[in-house]
Amino acid sequence: MSYSQAAAHLRVSRRWIGTIVRRYRGTGSLAAQPNARTPILGPREEQTIGAWLTEDPTLTLAKLAARLGAEGVSVSLFTVARALKRMGWRRQRAGWEPPYRAAESGE
């Protein structure tokens, strides 16, 4: 069966048929590939950031990114901010608030 015939039979475009055929030839499966990416900052880096913030809660995102860069992990400010949010750290006037303190305050 040609791509055109398969597309007409399934009422889809020829391009979609081509995509499915390429996926099957490449992976042996018709299932879609997962889109999840592995985080740039893993558990080791998150633990390091937590230690830095515990030591000096006034560190800025830029300073944290620079320290990570010195450790060999080049990241953007947004990546650092997402990691801190995932870790439960919150920004306060005096500096960063650890996750356990945020839970104790009832918020």
Side-chain angles (χ1 to χ4, degrees):
M1 180 180 284
S2 72
Y3 284 18
S4 296
Q5 290 170 335
H9 180 74
L10 296 173
R11 295 186 179 147
V12 295
S13 69
R14 284 186 67 230
R15 184 178 185 138
W16 189 78
I17 297 295
T19 299
I20 296 300
V21 169
R22 274 192 304 282
R23 183 182 302 159
Y24 182 75
R25 287 178 181 164
T27 65
S29 171
L30 296 177
Q33 298 298 313
N35 290 331
R37 294 175 53 180
T38 56
I40 294 172
L41 298 177
R44 186 179 69 83
E45 289 84 9
E46 287 182 357
Q47 186 176 13
T48 302
I49 292 171
W52 290 337
L53 288 177
T54 302
E55 180 183 309
D56 182 7
T58 62
L59 289 172
T60 63
L61 293 176
K63 288 180 182 177
L64 289 169
R67 283 189 176 192
L68 286 167
E71 299 265 330
V73 182
S74 178
V75 293
S76 70
L77 299 181
F78 294 113
T79 301
V80 176
R82 283 191 305 269
L84 289 172
K85 184 175 182 178
R86 188 173 53 247
M87 294 165 58
W89 286 82
R90 293 182 359 173
R91 184 76 174 153
Q92 300 297 320
R93 285 186 190 174
W96 291 96
E97 184 177 274
Y100 64 89
R101 292 195 49 208
E104 288 175 1
S105 67
E107 294 182 27

